[in-house]
Structure formats: structure tokens, C-alpha cells
Amino acid sequence: MPTPSALPPFQALIDAHWRDVARLARALAGPVDGDDVAQRAWEKALNAYPGLTSAKNLRSWLLTITARCATDLHRSRRPQSPLDDDLPLTVDGPDVTDWPDPDLWRAVGELPERQRVAVTLKYVADLDHKAVAAVLDTTPAASRRLVSDALATLRKELDS
């Protein structure tokens, strides 16, 4: 097992992956909150970095942190009720009017949270299903199902 000294300097990690983190943060939290989510992800990564024992899959590790920071932001803004776990996020979702294809992004924002995160990780962050599953703490088969269900919903929504 590599020692922590085998890790690249944190600045090298930033230089290599800042665009990926920023892009995913904006896709999940919107242009207004995306920068804050990315900043929070980098803070969490910096705090956890000394404890890492392997330089393997650092990009996936960073994108997992970013997705969780975006999820935390959304959860902090929605009313807390045991009945609304699967309700679509529409009240405080990103303002997508200035994005390319705002209808698509509006529909993505209305997906249930796990489907929204799964499809965004798959197509914005370009993660494979194994990495998406790791972020969502599920299996690759469940990741495929979440993405498939999200795409079916989006097709139905956008075709109508």
C-alpha cells in the first residue's frame, strides 16, 4: 500500500482536476451556487487529503466529494419531512434559463435526487457506472438503473 508521501502535492491535484470539479458543481447546483459547492468540495478534499493512503482514483474521489457537497446544499434548502424523500427538487433548483437547452436542464432538475445525481455524474462528469455507484453508495447495476430511469423520464418529459 502506498504511503501518503506517494500522493501528489495538493496543488497538482487542483491543477489537474479543477475544471472537472467546477463543471460538476455547476451542473448539480447551478451557476449561482456551483462556485460555492466547488469551494466547499476543495475544502473538504484538503482536510481529508493527509489521511489518504493511495493516489489511485483521485478524480473519482474529488467528484464524489463534489456531488455530496451539492447534495448537502440541496438538502439544507428543502423542507424536512419524511414524506418528501422522493419529491422532485423544483423550488430551490438551479436557475437554468441562461444555460444551453434550458428545457433539458429544467427537466433534469425535476428528477428525483438520486436519478438527477446519477445522470449528471454519468454525462457531465463522464464517470462510469462503477464510479457513479461509489458516489451514490450503491451497486453498478443500481447505478445503471438510476441512469436508465432518469433517461426514460427525460425522454418522456421532453417529447411531450
Side-chain angles (χ1 to χ4, degrees), residues 32-51:
V32 173
D33 293 319
D35 290 342
D36 290 338
V37 166
Q39 180 64 34
R40 183 70 181 133
W42 284 115
E43 289 171 6
K44 285 185 172 249
L46 178 61
N47 289 336
Y49 201 63

Side-chain angles (χ1 to χ4, degrees), residues 88-90 93-94 96 104-113 116 154:
L89 179 66
T90 56
V96 298
L104 170 64
W105 283 105
R106 193 170 292 108
V108 169
E110 292 174 357
L111 291 169
E113 181 181 340
R116 183 182 66 251
L154 292 172

Side-chain angles (χ1 to χ4, degrees), residues 114-123 127-134 136-153 155:
R114 289 176 61 82
Q115 287 182 15
R116 183 182 66 251
V117 172
V119 79
T120 303
L121 289 169
K122 178 72 177 139
Y123 294 106
L127 296 180
D128 61 19
H129 285 290
K130 184 177 178 183
V132 172
L136 294 174
D137 195 27
T138 190
T139 65
S143 165
R144 282 185 190 84
R145 181 60 189 242
L146 286 167
V147 170
S148 175
D149 289 351
L151 293 176
T153 300
R155 283 186 193 104

Side-chain angles (χ1 to χ4, degrees), residues 1 7 26 42 65 72 90 93 118 132:
M1 185 170 277
L7 294 171
R26 287 178 60 92
W42 284 115
I65 292 170
D72 290 347
T90 56
V132 172

Side-chain angles (χ1 to χ4, degrees), residues 21-43 65-78 89-96 99 116:
V21 168
R23 195 168 107 194
L24 180 61
R26 287 178 60 92
L28 291 173
V32 173
D33 293 319
D35 290 342
D36 290 338
V37 166
Q39 180 64 34
R40 183 70 181 133
W42 284 115
E43 289 171 6
I65 292 170
T66 305
R68 289 181 179 160
C69 286
T71 298
D72 290 347
L73 172 76
H74 289 301
R75 285 183 179 157
S76 72
R77 291 187 172 166
R78 49 190 260 194
L89 179 66
T90 56
V91 176
D92 290 308
D95 177 12
V96 298
W99 291 18
R116 183 182 66 251

